[in-house]
Amino acid sequence: MQMELKSVAVYCGSSFGTSEVYREAAVRLGQELAERGLTLIYGGASVGLMGAVADAVLEAGGSVTGVIPTLLEAREISHRNLTELIVVDSMHERKRTMIERADGFIALPGGPGTMEELFEVMTWSQIGLHQKPFGLLNINGYYDQLIQFFDHMNKEGFYKDEYRENVLVSSDPASLLNTFATYHAPGVKTY
Ligand code: AMP
């Protein structure tokens, strides 16, 4: 059954990266979400690409829900002008809340925190804990090596075809969101 897309979680760096193209992509994604009336669910910080995507949604008149753990509230400087800010007790609760609240997931370029969030979405999909689409916004070829590694996992028999095929990839926010509309969740992993 196709789920109506109302909100999208965006995982991305708490840094800007070395190239301006990353910030520009975060802004373009934020604008695209707002234009489509999709609520942004994200980590609630004002720093790096996280702040850039939230600001872009808000400036375009869209809605943003931030989910930040108390531990990081001061360190990542929680964004003060969000539509909604949810303060949670732990990193685990942050990730669970974001997965529950969002109807789909996008990873912009980011570091280990972004990877951990993406991998949880990928693995929960395999186990059948959610049936929602997810994709990589592959800006500036940032995720090329990771995509190659997914193919390597698949070739070596550790990542089944039906799950590997489920990883959506695009360098364009609008195209990636369009592929969400025709997404069909895979079956639950068998052993
Ligand atoms: P990064 O991609 O490393 O810049 O981190 C992006 C976001 O992920 C930041 O808000 C980090 O605080 C967050 N993050 C880092 N590690 C974890 C974790 N273990 N669980 C949940 N979020 C995390």
Side-chain angles (χ1 to χ4, degrees), residues 121-130 158-160 163 186-191:
V121 165
M122 291 174 70
T123 52
W124 285 24
S125 172
Q126 288 197 103
I127 300 166
L129 288 178
H130 73 77
F158 291 104
Y159 196 21
K160 290 186 178 178
Y163 303 115
V188 175
K189 190 175 178 200
T190 51
Y191 297 89

Side-chain angles (χ1 to χ4, degrees), residues 53-76:
V53 69
D55 285 341
V57 174
L58 293 168
E59 272 163 35
S63 295
V64 181
T65 296
V67 187
I68 198 160
T70 14
L71 169 79
L72 293 181
E73 229 191 325
R75 216 182 298 165
E76 293 189 351

